[in-house]
Every structure is written in C-alpha cells, then in structure tokens.
Amino acid sequence: MAAMRSTCLALGLTLWAAAPAAAQTSPTLAADRAQLASCLQTSSGAASACIGSIAVACVVAAGANRQAAEAGCARREEAVWRERLVQAVQQSGRPLDAGQRSRLVALQMSWEGYVAQKCAFYAAGQREGLQPGRQAGCELREVAARALELERASRPQAPARRPSQPPQIIR
C-alpha cells in the first residue's frame, strides 16, 4: 500500500496542475473534511490537537466493536489529512525550479517509505489483533504531522523586524 501511495504521490507531484489523487467527493469524506477544517480553525494555534479527532469519534461510534473499527477509522481520517498533505507538497513545489521539484518529490517519496517502515515496525510489536489498528493509527499521525509541517512552511512569512537599536556586543 505504501508503494502505491508513493507512486500516486509522485505522479501527483509530477502533474502539478492536476487535482490531488485523494480528492474524492464522497459524503463521508466531505463531512470529515469539514469537521477537520472546523477543528483546525478553532484549535487556536494547536493544530496538532486535531490529529485523531475524526478517528476517535468514529471508533467511539462503533460501540462494542471498537478494535475492529480502529484501522478503518484511522484510514478514514488519514484520507482527509492525505488530501491536505498532497496539496501542501504541491504548494511547496510551485515556486521551485524543475530540479528542486525533483528533489522535493524524492524527499517526499523517501518520507513515505520511512513512514511505511516505521509504522510496520511499530505494529509488529503489538498483539496480532491490534496490529492493523495500531499501524493505521501510526500512519494517520505521521501523515497529519507532515501535512501540518508543510502547511506551516508554505505560509507567507512576515518580514523580519529591524531592531530599534543595533545589537550590543557584550564582552
């Protein structure tokens, strides 16, 4: 699955004008997208607090069969974060020349491989019944954190303020 994501991501990055591969129009995805946007808007600078908000609500709604719902709920939220990640990578690549875009694609593909290995390793240390949910949860957290990192990096920076006085050198 990670190899497929990397291939799709590379294709999406190569075709800069194309819509993100994860851009779907299902009612559930649209509702999840709106819920995440609302959380991010109200989180007042602590965007990482929104990671897991959709998955946790989904697992709670599963009732007694929570363990079986973990992987599906995590993948459901990951789809929303992955959309944001692909958009953030595309945004990051727009001002770059072709060589730098190629490096960005290579970096992102390496990151995807790292996440796949990290989360598979983490899941392998869990009891067999917990592995799918734990791996999906790990991938969700990693994708969300990467999306937030790239979104922060691509925001316009305020111009640096000049100090009112030159710095004092203390000896």
Side-chain angles (χ1 to χ4, degrees):
M1 180 175 284
M4 181 179 78
R5 282 191 198 139
S6 294
T7 302
C8 288
L9 182 61
L11 178 60
L13 291 171
T14 303
L15 304 172
W16 292 98
Q24 303 170 20
T25 57
S26 76
T28 303
L29 185 61
D32 290 347
R33 198 181 292 129
Q35 181 181 343
L36 181 61
S38 175
C39 181
L40 291 169
Q41 190 174 38
T42 60
S43 68
S44 61
S48 61
C50 296
I51 299 172
S53 60
I54 295 167
V56 169
C58 174
V59 169
V60 168
N65 201 8
R66 290 181 178 186
Q67 185 175 328
E70 283 181 357
C73 291
R75 297 277 182 242
R76 180 177 146 186
E77 181 174 342
E78 182 188 347
V80 180
W81 284 108
R82 187 152 297 276
E83 278 186 346
R84 294 179 72 93
L85 175 59
V86 170
Q87 289 170 353
V89 171
Q90 288 176 343
Q91 182 69 28
S92 297
R94 281 192 184 108
L96 304 177
D97 63 34
Q100 286 292 81
R101 272 196 307 272
S102 292
R103 290 178 67 195
L104 177 62
V105 169
L107 172 66
Q108 191 62 25
M109 289 179 69
S110 293
W111 178 86
E112 291 282 351
Y114 162 75
V115 168
Q117 292 298 316
K118 175 185 177 179
C119 294
F121 179 78
Y122 171 70
Q126 306 296 314
R127 287 193 334 246
E128 189 174 331
L130 298 176
Q131 289 177 359
R134 296 306 192 267
Q135 183 165 353
C138 173
E139 291 170 1
L140 159 63
R141 287 186 302 276
E142 293 294 329
V143 167
R146 179 74 171 154
L148 291 173
E149 173 189 11
L150 290 178
E151 287 174 352
R152 273 191 307 273
S154 67
R155 284 188 199 124
Q157 301 294 322
R161 287 184 34 202
R162 298 185 123 216
S164 60
Q165 297 180 2
Q168 299 290 323
I169 299 175
I170 302 172
R171 293 184 189 226

